[in-house]
Amino acid sequence: MTAVGAGRIASAVHAYEVARELASEFATGAADRDRDRALPHGEIDRLAASGLLAITVPADLGGADLPPSAVAEVVRILAAADPNIAQIPHSHFVYVNLLRLAGSEDQRRRYLGQVLGGARIANAQSERTGATVAEIATTVRPDAGRFRVDGVKYYCTGSLFADVLAVLARLDDPDGVSGLAAGEYIAYLPAETPGVRIVDDWNGIGQRTTGSGTVSFDGVVVGADQLVPRSLAVRAPTGYGAFAQLLHAAIDAGIARGALTAATEFVRTKSRPWFEAEVERAVDDPLLIQRFGELAVTLTAAESALTAAGAAVDRAVTPGTEIPAPSDGPADPVAAASLAVAAAKILSDRAATEISAALFEVSGTRSAAADLNLHHFWRNARTHTLHDPIRWKYHHLGRALLHDTPPPLHGVI
């Protein structure tokens, strides 16, 4: 599956140009792919070959080393065209970041070298068996000088397109024979490793072509050099969680932009005016104009918050960055980044769900025709925004104001 001879991105401007070119291509047929659940294998091949999946590889390894804000903008551009395609590499960027933060020099060179060649990483992280999503049952155990991974993962976005799986597992070594510290590890392993079974069983109402199915691991053998301790990135002030959440917000903002663009085009070309408006064209209805203005403000707020959050994450992960910090925010740049991303996530969630629903309100009865599949915007928004509850974003923002309490370090804020 790996793209051979992947291109190299030289700068953020170059990345945006390539992303816009691909987005123009991907937008065509996005609704049809969603309706038919036609998995975008060709499109993901194009994405990998473009070099965009390697934009965060460090410069010392030959990558563009672009900041989080640039990655978020690339994801937003792609999401406005097809949020399924934009979500597929989300975990790829997150687990490239984990290697940057916690991988050994050999691990960084090996796996990030593969990424430069077009390799795709997908997650095998979430489970259904624990009392909460934070409980991990999948284990990595010492076994005859190596290790074995056993467990079942769900919602493994991108797994159907992956070359490498990043598997979250709990070290099960009560006797300490492995010499590894207790805790959680990410096992990086080829998707075709014996004992790995990838099942195409994702049946969500939205994000239908993200390849987010089930992956099981039955006695999968890995070496110690394939294990990366997760705590070095998640339990330390690294900005790891803020970066991951920034990309989720970018997907939602992209969905909102795509929905507003579709609504604008529909009203311009297909909608009839309401008779009480006494106008010949729907676009001249003053109340419709007013509603589009309201939706534009909602989208502008989300996109502006995303930009501000991207700058905050850049400051948190890039020492000495020239981007000035707000004078009234937390002094700790990592805490400030998490709070800025929390606000962006709230606003992008609101924009995606509101605008994708309002598409029908402003477009009229004709827009509800099933063959148009315009409801894929709302279904995608409603499904993707379930990743983590925004009520807890409000909570952390409120605590920071009232109690001067920094957000927790757990990887999802």
Side-chain angles (χ1 to χ4, degrees), residues 117-398:
R120 314 152 204 182
I121 303 173
N123 85 86
Q125 178 170 298
S126 293
E127 298 180 359
R128 293 176 178 169
T129 56
T132 73
V133 71
E135 295 184 12
I136 303 302
T138 297
T139 57
V140 54
R141 297 185 178 97
D143 184 27
R146 303 193 75 191
F147 295 85
R148 62 174 286 166
V149 177
D150 295 277
V152 180
K153 299 290 186 176
Y154 302 89
Y155 316 120
C156 300
T157 298
S159 56
L160 294 175
F161 313 96
D163 302 294
V164 176
L165 296 175
V167 187
L168 174 58
R170 170 180 52 81
L171 180 63
D172 184 8
D173 181 20
D175 298 324
V177 299
S178 68
L180 298 180
E184 296 173 349
Y185 286 79
I186 301 296
Y188 288 80
L189 52 93
E192 298 179 353
T193 301
V196 174
R197 183 169 178 257
I198 301 174
V199 183
D200 181 15
D201 60 355
W202 169 238
N203 66 347
I205 63 170
Q207 297 298 89
R208 287 163 44 83
T209 64
T210 54
S212 301
T214 300
V215 181
S216 61
F217 303 89
D218 184 7
V220 175
V221 178
V222 298
D225 60 345
Q226 293 175 263
L227 302 177
V228 177
R230 186 168 180 259
S231 62
L232 293 178
V234 177
R235 305 301 178 190
T238 61
Y240 177 82
F243 174 66
Q245 289 295 300
L246 179 71
L247 301 190
H248 278 309
I251 293 169
D252 294 337
I255 294 173
R257 172 61 68 178
L260 188 58
T261 299
T264 301
E265 177 64 17
F266 196 94
V267 171
R268 283 175 173 171
T269 60
K270 296 182 175 64
S271 294
R272 294 186 297 176
W274 183 243
F275 70 93
E276 290 180 284
E278 297 182 346
V279 295
E280 294 184 359
R281 303 183 307 165
V283 293
D284 296 325
D285 179 339
L287 298 184
L288 199 59
I289 292 172
Q290 169 77 17
R291 185 60 176 134
F292 267 92
E294 293 169 353
L295 296 176
V297 169
T298 297
L299 179 58
T300 298
E303 291 179 339
S304 298
L306 180 68
T307 298
V313 181
D314 288 354
R315 285 190 292 270
V317 303
T318 308
T321 180
E322 297 179 359
I323 303 171
S327 59
D328 56 354
D332 176 9
V334 173
S338 286
L339 295 174
V341 172
K345 186 70 171 63
I346 290 167
L347 289 171
S348 62
D349 181 304
R350 182 185 302 165
T353 52
E354 178 185 347
I355 296 174
S356 60
L359 185 159
F360 301 97
E361 169 197 337
V362 298
S363 300
T365 306
R366 293 181 178 185
S367 64
D371 62 302
L372 298 176
N373 195 28
L374 289 174
H375 56 296
H376 80 278
F377 290 104
W378 182 85
R379 289 187 289 100
N380 289 332
R382 185 64 281 173
T383 301
H384 183 260
T385 54
L386 296 176
H387 267 82
D388 49 282
I390 60 170
R391 61 184 179 273
W392 279 94
K393 310 300 183 187
Y394 283 112
H395 178 76
H396 294 307
L397 288 164

